[in-house]
């Protein structure tokens, strides 16, 4: 099956700093989503981005499907951005299932 | 709209007991999914239902059964719980089985002693 690797595994920032999270995947994908899992365990949809670039406030994401990676940018980080960020992909051939990476644990200190 | 709802939020079982986790969505989605999340890991698919009346195995189906009761509801049953099934269980739904965004419920935290 498809492999999904996220980096870095852990990231500690001061409030106001910018960061880039990376997701590499091993095969073609139909679907790529970024999620934020907050400290209460809730999964929040950030982006549905199988290709191209999207922006939502301080967050933006870019997926280069031909090179098999996606990037999540967080600008002017806030303490509420803390949590785990997951990349999940739907394999091109099999479909119907999201394969998750192991996540990036982000801590934003005041 | 409530989105995807799950009951219960927490559950403790003894080894060998059975239980059913309930999931409902009000977005008129065709496809529904059950995932589990173990500590420090991403989610893994247990079962999914591409449309009403169909169910298929995911990556880790052993020890579970599912029922797509109607378009809104998708339940997950543990017939004989084992400590290895201690996990957080998430239900999700999407408009269709491929190339659609999935939306997740709040999760059920299950402990099997």
């Amino acid at each position: 099956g498809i492999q999904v690797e996220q980096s870095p595994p852990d990231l500690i920032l001061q409030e106001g700093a910018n960061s880039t999270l990376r997701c590499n995947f091993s095969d073609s994908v139909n679907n790529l989503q970024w999620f934020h899992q907050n400290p209460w365990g809730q999964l929040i949809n950030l982006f549905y981005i199988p290709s191209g670039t999207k922006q939502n406030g301080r967050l933006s994401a870019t997926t280069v499907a031909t090179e098999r990676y996606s990037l999540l940018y967080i600008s002017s980080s806030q303490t509420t951005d803390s949590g785990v960020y997951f990349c999940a992909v739907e394999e091109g051939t099999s479909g119907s299932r999201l394969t998750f990476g192991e996540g990036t644990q982000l801590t934003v200190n005041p | 709209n409530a989105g995807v709802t799950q009951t219960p939020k927490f559950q403790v079982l003894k080894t060998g007991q059975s239980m059913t986790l309930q999931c409902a969505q009000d977005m008129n989605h065709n496809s529904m999914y059950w995932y589990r999340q173990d500590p420090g890991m991403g989610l893994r698919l247990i079962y999914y239902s591409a449309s009403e009346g169909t169910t298929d195995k995911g990556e880790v189906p052993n020890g579970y059964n599912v029922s797509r009761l109607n378009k809104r509801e998708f339940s997950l049953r543990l017939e004989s719980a084992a400590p290895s099934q201690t996990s957080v269980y998430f239900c999700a739904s999407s408009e269709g089985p491929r190339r659609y965004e999935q939306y997740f419920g709040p999760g059920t935290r299950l402990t099997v002693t």
Side-chain angles (χ1 to χ4, degrees), chain A residues 2-3 6 14 16 25 30 33 45 47 64 71 97 103 107:
Chain A
I2 195 166
Q3 304 297 313
Q6 291 187 242
Q14 287 299 121
F25 42 95
N30 292 329
Q33 292 183 237
N45 291 42
F47 294 102
V64 184
L71 302 174
R97 160 178 125 186
T107 303

Side-chain angles (χ1 to χ4, degrees), chain A residues 16-80:
Chain A
N18 303 328
S19 62
T20 301
L21 282 58
R22 187 177 180 101
C23 172
N24 292 334
F25 42 95
S26 60
D27 208 338
S28 63
V29 298
N30 292 329
N31 174 3
L32 188 146
Q33 292 183 237
W34 282 98
F35 296 91
H36 174 213
Q37 188 166 41
N38 65 22
W40 295 270
Q42 187 178 5
L43 277 167
I44 299 163
N45 291 42
L46 296 177
F47 294 102
Y48 169 75
I49 187 167
S51 64
T53 297
K54 290 186 178 180
Q55 179 152 10
N56 185 3
R58 297 181 294 104
L59 274 59
S60 63
T62 295
T63 298
V64 184
T66 53
E67 296 188 21
R68 299 182 182 168
Y69 72 89
S70 183
L71 302 174
L72 177 69
Y73 306 95
I74 304 174
S75 63
S76 303
S77 58
Q78 300 175 358
T79 55
T80 52

